[in-house]
Amino acid sequence: MGAALGLCSAASWIPCLCGSAPCLLSRCCPSGNNSTVTRLIYAFFLLLGVAVACVMLIPGMEAQLMKIPGFCDGGLGTSLPGVNGHVNCDVLVGYKAVYRVCFGMAMFFLLFALVMIKVKSSQDPRASVHNGFWFFKFAVAVAITVGAFFIPDGPFTTVWFYVGMSGAFCFILIQLVLLIDFAHSWNEAWVEKMEEGNSRCWYAALLSATGINYVLSLIAIVLFYVYYTHPEGCSENKAFISLNMLLSIGASILSILPKIQESQPRSGLLQSSVITIYTMYLTWSAMTNEPDRTCNPSLLSIIGYNGTSTTPGQGQGVQWWDAQGIVGLVLFLLCVLYSSIRTSTNSQVNKLTLTSDEATLIEDGVSRNDGSVDDGDEGHRAVDNEKDGVTYSYSFFHFMLFLASLYIMMTLTNWYSPDSSYETMVSRWPAVWVKISSSWVCIVLYVWTLVAPLVLTNRDFD
């Protein structure tokens, strides 16, 4: 999106920032539906905020952040407004900056989630705010973020930490819904190609993809037992790994039972393999936050780069960028972009994400009320395809981005929080339980999508 906008001169696209999404793309971008264009621009807003948050953690930024009046002055032994005692600013400033940037993004999207409740079509006056006025919305987002840097410490950090954990938990579940949708679409696309011709080739591809996912999951389980457990301890990790392995096996077997196949012809092992490998990721993510370092070795120590693993902080700068955080960031980017361009044929996923089934019937460049595009602008503007009704819930989309802001806040800070003395960053058991419980809820949700047609026989799940 950013590259496309870069093709336009400042004189041609900056004025459009005050208008609607179709105006924004009227001269310099390819044609498309207004609903998709708008979601992409909001995703760009979020990704821009993520980039700023990442910059806050770059080594050397501590000195610049300490220049903010009242933010944190000096190093170890410095008093911080709103906090009793002394703090280590070298450790705390990056953490504080990420929290404030993500607070600004979260409040921006939460505000729009409340404002856009029950918008039914683009004819609603609020829809013009949703689909336009980009310059003013950008200014509002920047103003909220800058203002967040002047929020005093004290209860804010603790309260926002628990708010962030709750929001990240919910976004993990949304990630699962999007993964189920992606797996269904993937399976359907390859099955259709298999039925059209060259069935052996596509069947082999389908079988290979499923097998690779299960093999990677099995390798992950073995590595978990080797590096994250010990014969004399780490009982929590042993329980987490064993339970999630059994639950994943049970869900996979359930997906291919004759009764499930009869009511859910699209279910299969490909979807189950995707859920299994996602569950293994959540298990690993939970174990990397365990406070006991003997049960939570760093990736560098596992590959033999260093022989010791130290607790974060302890008078030194925190190493924010680790393998778990990078994988979480990649998953976040993929899910946000996928949610911005998706048009699902899965009715259950559409209901979970509050998306209209009619979205799949709309072709690019054709509006839902059979509106036409002027020849002079054809291929060079977005079409308002929501005059008869929105193709997705504006309010839920903004709420999802609100949760995404909290998820990226927790991911970039590794779910750490300051200790009681504000001198080091530590991992806590609540973060572990939030992550591992989300893996259990994910499996339950997937199983529910399989058994729901058998339980609710009076409902239409086609």
Side-chain angles (χ1 to χ4, degrees):
M1 187 66 193
L5 292 176
L7 298 176
C8 308
S9 64
S12 63
W13 68 267
I14 289 181
C16 287
L17 292 177
C18 300
S20 63
C23 173
L24 184 64
L25 300 185
S26 61
R27 291 199 176 107
C28 62
C29 298
S31 62
N33 287 327
N34 191 30
S35 58
T36 301
V37 171
T38 298
R39 283 182 289 177
L40 284 173
I41 297 175
Y42 280 116
F44 176 75
F45 270 37
L46 179 62
L47 297 182
L48 185 61
V50 172
V52 173
C54 290
V55 169
M56 298 300 171
L57 297 177
I58 294 177
M61 276 298 296
E62 297 91 347
Q64 303 302 320
L65 293 172
M66 290 180 192
K67 295 178 181 178
I68 300 176
F71 196 62
C72 204
D73 300 318
L76 184 62
T78 303
S79 297
L80 186 67
V83 176
N84 295 326
H86 300 286
V87 300
N88 185 351
C89 287
D90 293 336
V91 171
L92 195 62
V93 287
Y95 169 85
K96 286 182 56 179
V98 171
Y99 265 48
R100 270 115 180 115
V101 170
C102 293
F103 175 84
M105 291 193 299
M107 291 300 100
F108 172 77
F109 290 118
L110 181 60
L111 172 64
F112 274 87
L114 296 175
V115 171
M116 297 300 160
I117 291 176
K118 293 189 179 296
V119 173
K120 299 299 184 182
S121 75
S122 61
Q123 303 303 308
D124 190 308
R126 291 174 294 169
S128 61
V129 177
H130 173 76
N131 293 315
F133 299 99
W134 299 108
F135 175 79
F136 298 109
K137 286 188 288 193
F138 180 78
V140 169
V142 171
I144 296 175
T145 302
V146 171
F149 276 80
F150 296 93
I151 298 176
D153 279 285
F156 171 79
T157 300
T158 302
V159 171
W160 198 240
F161 171 76
Y162 286 102
V163 171
M165 279 205 307
S166 303
F169 173 85
C170 295
F171 187 76
I172 288 173
L173 302 185
I174 291 178
Q175 280 185 334
L176 171 78
V177 173
L178 295 174
L179 278 174
I180 294 176
D181 179 40
F182 171 75
H184 280 308
S185 301
W186 184 7
N187 184 71
E188 288 177 0
W190 283 17
V191 168
E192 287 179 3
K193 291 182 180 296
M194 186 170 59
E195 293 174 350
E196 291 174 359
N198 201 4
S199 59
R200 289 185 178 180
C201 178
W202 286 107
Y203 180 79
L206 195 64
L207 188 63
S208 298
T210 303
I212 289 173
N213 286 337
Y214 277 119
V215 168
L216 291 176
S217 300
L218 179 60
I219 293 174
I221 291 172
V222 172
L223 292 177
F224 293 163
Y225 276 117
V226 171
Y227 293 106
Y228 291 90
T229 65
H230 298 289
E232 66 279 1
C234 304
S235 56
E236 293 87 357
N237 287 355
K238 294 175 184 176
F240 295 158
I241 300 168
S242 301
L243 180 58
N244 280 357
M245 178 182 65
L246 294 175
L247 290 175
S248 298
I249 293 174
S252 298
I253 294 175
L254 184 66
S255 68
I256 57 175
L257 292 178
K259 283 189 173 294
I260 298 295
Q261 288 289 310
E262 182 180 346
S263 61
Q264 288 273 55
R266 63 164 56 94
S267 70
L269 288 178
L270 178 61
Q271 295 93 317
S272 298
S273 69
V274 172
I275 300 305
T276 298
I277 199 168
Y278 183 62
T279 301
M280 292 304 108
Y281 160 72
L282 292 177
T283 306
W284 172 57
S285 180
M287 292 188 298
T288 59
N289 273 105
E290 189 168 331
D292 185 357
R293 301 301 296 183
T294 60
C295 302
N296 175 19
S298 67
L299 183 63
L300 293 179
S301 65
I302 290 176
I303 64 178
Y305 183 77
N306 59 359
T308 60
S309 58
T310 59
T311 303
Q314 299 193 352
Q316 299 178 354
V318 179
Q319 179 61 47
W320 296 115
W321 302 102
D322 62 2
Q324 187 272 128
I326 293 173
V327 173
L329 181 60
V330 171
L331 279 176
F332 160 81
L333 295 174
L334 293 176
C335 286
V336 169
L337 292 177
Y338 181 69
S339 66
S340 301
I341 62 176
R342 65 180 290 279
T343 52
S344 175
T345 58
N346 188 329
S347 60
Q348 293 186 59
V349 172
N350 285 331
K351 291 174 183 176
L352 287 171
T353 57
L354 303 182
T355 305
S356 171
D357 292 295
E358 297 177 47
T360 60
L361 303 178
I362 304 169
E363 299 292 336
D364 286 344
V366 181
S367 64
R368 291 170 64 174
N369 62 345
D370 294 326
S372 60
V373 181
D374 294 338
D375 293 339
D377 290 336
E378 187 173 1
H380 295 286
R381 64 175 301 172
V383 176
D384 184 1
N385 61 322
E386 298 181 305
K387 291 182 179 179
D388 295 335
V390 297
T391 62
Y392 64 99
S393 169
Y394 290 177
S395 182
F396 181 81
F397 179 72
H398 285 291
F399 186 70
M400 187 195 74
L401 296 184
F402 163 73
L403 297 178
S405 301
L406 299 179
Y407 173 82
I408 202 62
M409 178 183 77
M410 301 305 294
T411 299
L412 291 178
T413 58
N414 290 341
W415 297 64
Y416 291 158
S417 60
D419 65 356
S420 58
S421 65
Y422 278 78
E423 293 183 4
T424 63
M425 304 299 297
V426 296
S427 181
R428 302 182 186 274
W429 274 106
V432 178
W433 287 109
V434 166
K435 288 185 177 183
I436 200 65
S437 61
S438 68
S439 69
W440 299 334
V441 175
C442 284
I443 295 178
V444 170
L445 279 177
Y446 174 63
V447 170
W448 174 247
T449 64
L450 298 176
V451 303
L454 297 178
V455 176
L456 305 176
T457 55
N458 58 336
R459 296 279 300 274
D460 182 17
F461 289 89
D462 292 335

